[in-house]
Amino acid sequence: MLNKKTVDDFNASGRRVLVRCDFNVPLKAGEITDETRIVAALPTIKKLIADGGKVILCSHLGKVKNGPNEGESLAPVAKRLSEKLGKEVTFVSDYNVTGADATAAVEAMQPGDVVLLQNTRFRGAEETKNGEAFSKELAALCDDYVCDAFGSSHRAHASVAGVTEFVRAKGGNCAVGYLMQKEIDFLGNAVNNPVRPFVAILGGAKVADKLNVISNLLEKCDTLIIGGGMAYTFLKAQGYEIGTSLCDDSKLDYCKEMMAKAEQLGKKLLLPVDTVVTAAFPNPIDAEIATEVYASTEIPADKMGMDIGPKTQALYAEAVKSAKTVVWNGPMGVFENPTLAAGTIAVAKSLAETDATTIIGGGDSAAAVNQLGFGDKMSHISTGGGASLEFLEGKDLPGVVAADDK
């Protein structure tokens, strides 16, 4: 899955190239509030323009639960892209995405032109039978296809994977863009071919979300660090009182199995040794709140664990210090609250100070690292939450698998 044809492996001169981007940007009253994903797509788009390709862009935006609507149109993205590229991006507003308007816009293109199609989710469920017709129509618009939407690459959708079958059938290239290549290089190599010692840090609320990730990483890493809400299920599985802390009782046996697996494989599995507790969950989430610190083996029955304590912060920082590769997915506590962000900040700081290759696996940990101002100190911050988790699980991602092998 790791050796894929990229945009550097073919010349797009005079060819129509369909690029699946991730323009799923946050909008407020029709204005883009965070353009990170647009900026991330620019290198691939600029390369294809420089080649003299005719660049056709597509993406989804939002969940589109109630059918096509102007609130989830890609029109604001076309406007911002035009500014970023310094040239007009022709927007096809047709809710059908690949209808007569799209065909006409593509036919009128000159080398170096850029067209943006409407939100792919406006066509309905891309992964169903309807997806095949949509895949064919997308393929009819182009000669080559490039997937640069890592955040969607775990979905077997028409615009992500389905289209490749029909592009390939007519002799076209199916490649990955620079953003996808970077994700494959960092995440793929970190998990499958890491420079050791390899430390993996998993946080977040639920054990259920990370079942296969825990099992897969135990086989790959040297040390696995557990923090966040899911640490309490592990502590309870060891027979400790965890008070009113978050716990997934149905996963206690699984946690016991994973601790046994770590021992059997000779891997270190680190759990919190002390815990920051509160009387209840903060409401609102960023409200001022009184905290106490207890040993993780002595959490009072009426208290709730909210973050890793200072001794655990030091323990985890020490484990990171000697690492050569670190992958981190999931915060250590309720990082949205300033009082309960200390554990997440301490882990981010230890990653920022190490010489190791540091990879942040998307989602909340990416948000935390960026919010806390450590983003530029990390080797790589993944653009896909769900996709990076599935990569860490060892799963094949449809959007990656669908690209041509080199």
Side-chain angles (χ1 to χ4, degrees), residues 346-367:
V347 168
K349 195 164 177 291
S350 69
L351 264 68
E353 289 169 358
T354 179
D355 294 331
T357 297
T358 49
I359 298 151
I360 312 302
D364 279 346
S365 22

Side-chain angles (χ1 to χ4, degrees), residues 35-63:
E35 61 180 29
T36 308
R37 286 176 167 162
I38 292 173
V39 172
L42 294 176
T44 295
I45 297 168
K46 286 177 174 172
K47 156 74 166 81
L48 295 168
I49 291 170
D51 276 358
K54 300 172 183 181
V55 187
I56 308 150
L57 308 174
C58 68
S59 174
H60 77 283
L61 192 155
K63 300 248 190 281

Side-chain angles (χ1 to χ4, degrees), residues 190-271:
V191 176
N192 295 305
N193 192 20
V195 181
R196 297 188 183 278
F198 172 25
V199 175
I201 306 169
L202 293 178
K206 299 190 191 111
V207 175
D209 294 344
K210 308 260 164 79
L211 288 178
N212 299 326
V213 183
I214 294 167
S215 185
N216 188 48
L217 284 178
L218 268 179
E219 289 168 22
K220 306 284 174 78
C221 70
D222 301 296
T223 301
L224 179 60
I225 292 173
I226 303 277
M230 67 174 181
Y232 304 107
T233 307
F234 276 89
L235 291 169
K236 188 170 179 179
Q238 289 180 313
Y240 298 122
E241 168 67 62
I242 60 163
T244 58
S245 307
L246 201 62
C247 184
D248 188 345
D249 285 325
S250 67
K251 298 292 178 281
L252 291 170
D253 285 342
Y254 174 83
C255 289
K256 287 175 188 167
E257 279 170 35
M258 289 303 106
M259 290 185 281
K261 181 173 179 171
E263 200 169 333
Q264 184 193 336
L265 294 172
K267 304 296 174 78
K268 267 191 201 158
L269 177 63
L270 300 183
L271 291 166

